[in-house]
Amino acid sequence: MSDIRSRIIGTGSCLPKKVVSNKDLEAVVDTTDEWISSRTGISTRCIATSESAVDVASKAADEAIKASGLAPEDIDLVVTGTVTPDMAFPSTSSMVQSRLGLRSGIPALDVSAACSGFLYALDVADKYIRLEDAKNVLVIGVDLFSRVVDWTDRSTCVLFGDGAGAAVLKAESNGNGILSTHMHSDGRHGELLYAPMDIKEHPFSVKDEAKADDNGSKLREPSTLKMRGNEIFKIAVRSMNGAIMEALDSNGLKAEDITLLVPHQANTRIIKAMKDRLDLPDGKIFVNISKYGNTSAASIPIALDEAFREGRIKDGDIVIMVAFGGGLTWGSVAVRW
Ligand code: ACO
């Protein structure tokens, strides 16, 4: 393999306009601001009212392309992590390609890995770049979980928000860029966190049968998100710590070499547990969950964009992104910025 690396040269993000506070949720389900803030660290989240997934993804992508200094026609691949697209097809990536006037004929694909979606998308993009099949790649993370949560289930509906984030990667050979990617899945634990498809009946459907497939996966349940939060919590801490250690070990780095850890924003208690295990000071871990809740595949690119715009990431810094989500899926990406 050549010495080509994928350098992040622009970031962007877009949140829907409607801000919903914990107090607002007290009118929707039996909950309190105190419970939500103390158990999760979330104060507000943005909820799409008129915006589509392609609307917010396109705005985040447009911002990232502008920040990169490239022209839309320079992009030669689009990869989007999402599990809440507007359409089963065309893909979100193809729709963004059209909306932003990107070159026709370039490949565009979506990746499904729930909250790990953006890191999986970065991993795919990085491999295209290092195999010299693409030079400039637009990578997007977008999810509108307001579409899939059960708004009568207080244990899940208070946790999630909608949004999109994006990054532009460029092939460079100066030593900076993505140093390593480590992606994982363990489908055996899929039932801890899932959202079924809305499978339609058809003229040959057998009523009240085939409630599960051969693997026991649930079919024809209401298509809302189900989560066993307690069990997920423990696995999330263990898996994300493991993925951070893989990133450090494979690059000969130690925890103190990290300039900024950008974790998936699911719960401040999960983030704190990671911080404690690594013995990282507060300034080395980026946390914005209070404003947006868990935005699934959008959470890391939104955090990355905010961290960069706040001046918390500079050339040469070591940034580690780490994610965990439905699948179960998890992974880390280490970058020399
Ligand atoms: N308001 C008030 N009370 C509530 C609420 C609420 N919104 N939700 C639950 N409760 C109650 C429960 O009913 C329970 O009451 P009980 O003791 O009388 O039975 C009590 O609060 C405690 O509930 P727990 O589920 O034990 O609360 P916990 O402290 O574990 O927090 C949480 C729950 C926030 C979901 C936590 O487990 C968590 O963050 N899990 C990880 C989530 C995650 O990382 N998901 C992966 C990414 S998401 C993705 O990939 C799509």
Side-chain angles (χ1 to χ4, degrees), residues 29-32 35-36 39-40 113-116 145 154-156 158-160 193 225 227-230 232-233 236 264 266-267 269-270 294 296 324-326:
V29 282
D30 179 16
T31 191
T32 59
W35 191 96
I36 303 172
R39 297 286 181 127
T40 70
C115 298
S116 311
F145 263 45
R154 67 176 183 172
S155 68
T156 52
V158 303
L159 304 175
F160 296 95
L193 174 55
L225 179 146
M227 178 166 83
R228 299 202 330 237
N230 274 318
I232 292 273
F233 194 104
H264 171 51
N267 188 317
R269 291 185 293 142
I270 295 179
N294 179 347
S296 184
F324 179 86

Side-chain angles (χ1 to χ4, degrees), residues 21 41 183 264 320:
S21 69
M183 300 301 130
H264 171 51
I320 295 186

